[in-house]
Amino acid sequence: MSNKIYDMLIIGGGPIGLACGVEAGKAGLDYVIVEKGALTNSIFNYPINMTFFSTSDRLEMADIPFMSIGNKPNRTEALEYYRRIFSHFDLNVKLYEVVQTLEKKEELFYVKTSKGEYLAKNVVLATGFYDLPNLMNIPGEDLPKVQHYYKEPWPFINQKIVVVGGANSAVDAALECWRKGAEVSMVLLEEEVDQAVKYWVRPDIVNRIKEGSIKAFTKSRLKEIRAHEVVIATPEGEVTIENDFVLAMTGYKPNFGLLNQLGVKLSDDEKCQPQYDEQTHETNVQGVYLAGVVCGGLNTREFFIENSVVHAGMIVKDIVEKLKK
């Protein structure tokens, strides 16, 4: 372990983690960002043809313009924009380095990763929520044909696929695969697809279901996955259909393991929201801060890039003030 002590160690190299690095650099703090995958790994894992809900100007940070061809940027444009942020500010980012253990001893944090060990006075968790899928916990979910991430439609040409879920990811997957020749069925817990689906996409999926191009099992759930078929529990009883692939777009959750290691308290309700000060974003553990969507716990629809970038400045301001004392 090096004897170097960082003022601030940031876990997560997504947009909000990068924003924390930018603000730390401006404030003269000695910082490091540790990211377990590629730069902005969550965005990298988005579907290849994904378009953001927000306009590009709402995603800007650090006074660097975000230029996109359309009003709403796509995945590739976002990857390039955040690469420019990384390059322009010469951010100290360690990529493909997984944080394994976190421990606080007296006033310092001991952080062990897959590539080394670090000492830091403060830790910022900007880990997002896209890395851990919500499992259905049903028989057959571990079969190779089940995917919790969707990238592109080409592997599913002329295949019978079941898309589980009714939010944006599920709808995008269902429409793209259907348009490339897949036979698509959707399994929806509710009576219809989510009302929060992107407003320019929702009429499309509603009409495809209405005309029968895409079969929707509403108020239903996937009960079992088999090698060549699936069993769906519907209001009328169990239905078994032929199946080649299952796209389980069931949502994702934060990495509670890191929060638990540090002793960050979670709410007792269904949100499992971490305890933190909304003015400073410091948790109940002194020196541990939260930035971005991790602040919402399982309520992943409250925080987005556009309303979380400000967390970086709030955190750095508090750390700077404490270091002066």
Side-chain angles (χ1 to χ4, degrees):
M1 176 186 294
S2 170
N3 292 326
K4 180 179 179 61
I5 300 175
Y6 289 96
D7 294 321
M8 182 175 169
L9 184 142
I10 303 157
I11 303 175
I16 307 305
L18 298 185
C20 289
V22 170
E23 293 300 323
K26 287 181 177 179
L29 297 180
D30 198 353
Y31 74 92
V32 62
I33 302 172
V34 181
E35 164 57 52
K36 74 183 189 65
L39 192 71
T40 58
N41 195 60
S42 292
I43 295 176
F44 172 75
N45 283 316
Y46 284 171
I48 289 176
N49 298 319
M50 193 213 78
T51 299
F52 281 77
F53 194 95
S54 302
T55 55
S56 55
D57 60 300
R58 300 295 297 274
L59 300 175
E60 290 178 355
M61 65 172 68
D63 297 322
I64 302 296
F66 188 163
M67 307 301 293
S68 60
I69 295 176
N71 189 32
K72 295 178 173 62
N74 58 37
R75 167 185 172 273
T76 300
E77 290 170 330
L79 288 171
E80 173 57 20
Y81 175 71
Y82 294 115
R83 184 202 66 80
R84 286 175 52 227
I85 293 288
F86 161 74
S87 178
H88 179 82
F89 291 98
D90 192 23
L91 297 176
N92 183 21
V93 184
K94 309 295 184 182
L95 298 173
Y96 300 101
E97 190 162 347
V98 180
V99 173
Q100 298 173 332
T101 59
L102 291 159
E103 185 179 4
K104 185 177 184 182
K105 295 180 181 179
E106 297 180 354
E107 300 301 316
L108 289 179
F109 293 92
Y110 291 72
V111 182
K112 183 178 180 180
T113 74
S114 56
K115 293 183 178 180
E117 298 180 358
Y118 300 87
L119 293 173
K121 298 174 184 176
N122 300 278
V123 169
V124 179
L125 295 176
T127 48
F129 73 100
Y130 197 63
D131 293 323
L132 298 175
N134 291 318
L135 300 179
M136 297 176 288
N137 296 313
I138 60 174
E141 188 171 10
D142 58 346
L143 289 173
K145 72 174 188 174
V146 181
Q147 300 180 18
H148 287 278
Y149 294 89
Y150 168 74
K151 293 292 286 186
E152 55 185 343
W154 307 109
F156 309 111
I157 295 171
N158 200 35
Q159 300 295 291
K160 294 178 173 63
I161 72 168
V162 165
V163 178
V164 182
N168 280 301
S169 296
V171 168
D172 286 345
L175 287 171
E176 284 193 6
C177 291
W178 171 72
R179 288 201 159 89
K180 298 305 179 189
E183 182 180 318
V184 180
S185 298
M186 298 186 74
V187 179
L188 308 173
L189 280 175
E190 307 298 331
E191 195 168 357
E192 58 183 357
V193 296
D194 199 319
Q195 290 287 343
V197 168
K198 290 174 283 195
Y199 64 84
W200 65 93
V201 175
R202 194 172 189 280
D204 190 2
I205 189 65
V206 168
N207 287 329
R208 301 296 76 74
I209 291 172
K210 185 177 181 180
E211 71 187 15
S213 296
I214 293 176
K215 171 68 175 176
F217 294 90
T218 59
K219 293 185 176 180
S220 303
R221 63 179 179 83
L222 202 58
K223 185 176 181 181
E224 184 180 352
I225 303 169
R226 300 170 183 164
H228 304 293
E229 60 188 16
V230 296
V231 180
I232 305 169
T234 77
E236 291 76 36
E238 291 186 4
V239 176
T240 301
I241 63 172
E242 292 183 18
N243 172 258
D244 297 307
F245 291 96
V246 173
L247 301 181
M249 304 290 98
T250 50
Y252 308 91
K253 59 186 177 183
N255 189 338
F256 288 118
L258 295 179
L259 294 168
N260 292 333
Q261 280 191 46
L262 289 167
V264 176
K265 293 180 180 178
L266 305 178
S267 64
D268 295 328
D269 57 15
E270 68 280 357
K271 292 183 180 180
C272 294
Q273 187 168 16
Q275 180 179 316
Y276 70 97
D277 185 318
E278 293 186 0
Q279 299 303 314
T280 65
H281 279 254
E282 188 174 29
T283 68
N284 61 285
V285 180
Q286 188 174 358
V288 176
Y289 295 81
L290 303 180
V293 71
V294 70
C295 296
L298 292 178
N299 181 19
T300 56
R301 295 188 176 187
E302 183 177 346
F303 297 96
F304 308 93
I305 297 173
E306 64 184 62
N307 67 3
S308 297
V309 170
V310 295
H311 297 174
M314 299 162 73
I315 292 169
V316 169
K317 180 176 181 290
D318 191 62
I319 291 176
V320 168
E321 290 176 354
K322 286 183 177 179
L323 291 176
K324 287 179 180 178
K325 296 178 181 179

